[in-house]
């Protein structure tokens, strides 16, 4: 053993071992502190990520509800618009039919008036022709004495025809 105590390699080994042990003890706290800090940071990051994931899921659920509500509202609006369009179409058809009936009645009334007017014109023309023809016939067949007799007779019957 004495030889071992004088051997420099032995003392270098012991010094190196002692140095490593002391450095390990001193560095152990720092290394473990760093590792603990890093572990704490990782845990914090994981918790933050988990919280963000939960918030993201809540937001996703909220937006999905909003989308469903918006889709239901859009379907309701479309259904109401279709119903309103149907009502407008029915109203327009009823108004069109009413207008057509009114126009047909106006045309029928106008045709009736035109027919009555034509009949009146024809009667007036026929009466005028009859008067002219009668006057011509009377003028051709009656002499002055017959003409005087007709005038006297018309004058006599005039007061009775006036009542």
């Amino acid at each position: 053993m004495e030889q071992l105590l004088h051997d420099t390699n032995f003392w270098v080994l012991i010094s190196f071992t002692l140095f490593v042990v002391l450095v390990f003890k001193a560095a152990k706290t720092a290394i473990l502190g760093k590792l603990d800090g890093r572990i704490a940071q990782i845990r914090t990051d994981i918790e933050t990520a988990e919280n963000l994931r939960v918030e993201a899921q809540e937001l996703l659920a909220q937006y999905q509800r909003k989308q469903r509500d918006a889709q239901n509202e859009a379907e309701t609006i479309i259904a109401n618009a279709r119903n309103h369009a149907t009502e407008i179409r029915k109203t327009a058809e009823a108004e069109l039919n009413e207008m057509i009936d009114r126009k047909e009645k106006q045309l029928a009334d106008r045709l009736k008036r035109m027919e009555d007017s034509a009949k009146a014109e024809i009667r007036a023309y026929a009466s005028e022709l009859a008067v002219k023809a009668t006057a011509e016939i009377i003028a051709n067949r009656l002499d002055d004495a017959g003409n005087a007799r007709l005038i006297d007779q018309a004058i006599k019957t005039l007061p009775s025809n006036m009542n």
Side-chain angles (χ1 to χ4, degrees):
M1 182 121 200
E2 191 141 329
Q3 200 180 33
L4 200 57
L5 288 175
H6 290 294
D7 188 12
T8 56
N9 287 334
F10 173 70
W11 286 110
V12 169
L13 177 66
I14 292 211
S15 298
F16 181 73
T17 307
L18 187 60
F19 174 76
V20 169
V21 168
L22 289 175
V23 168
F24 178 73
K25 281 190 177 194
K28 175 181 160 186
T29 307
I31 291 172
L32 290 178
K34 282 257 188 203
L35 288 176
D36 287 342
R38 182 70 178 143
I39 289 170
Q41 179 63 36
I42 290 171
R43 279 191 183 132
T44 304
D45 290 346
I46 289 173
E47 288 173 3
T48 303
E50 182 66 26
N51 289 339
L52 288 174
R53 184 187 64 79
V54 168
E55 287 178 20
Q57 284 179 337
E58 289 173 358
L59 280 173
L60 176 64
Q62 182 181 3
Y63 283 123
Q64 286 174 341
R65 279 192 304 275
K66 284 182 180 180
Q67 181 185 11
R68 280 192 303 271
D69 292 344
Q71 186 173 3
N72 290 339
E73 186 176 343
E75 289 172 358
T76 303
I77 290 170
I78 290 171
N80 289 340
R82 284 187 180 140
N83 291 339
H84 189 65
T86 302
E87 290 175 12
I88 289 172
R89 183 177 45 91
K90 287 180 182 177
T91 303
E93 286 175 356
E95 288 175 359
L96 179 63
N97 289 336
E98 181 180 316
M99 185 180 70
I100 289 171
D101 291 343
R102 192 172 51 245
K103 291 289 184 180
E104 285 177 352
K105 187 174 187 283
Q106 288 174 351
L107 286 174
D109 291 345
R110 186 173 176 199
L111 285 174
K112 178 73 171 149
R113 284 192 309 270
M114 288 173 70
E115 183 180 322
D116 291 343
S117 174
K119 285 179 182 178
E121 285 178 17
I122 291 171
R123 283 186 191 125
Y125 183 69
S127 297
E128 187 179 317
L129 281 178
V131 168
K132 283 182 183 178
T134 305
E136 198 174 307
I137 291 172
I138 291 174
N140 290 338
R141 290 192 182 173
L142 284 181
D143 55 356
D144 287 334
N147 194 15
R149 204 178 12 169
L150 278 176
I151 292 174
D152 288 340
Q153 187 180 9
I155 291 173
K156 287 180 186 177
T157 58
L158 186 63
S160 64
N161 286 337
M162 300 264 290
N163 291 332

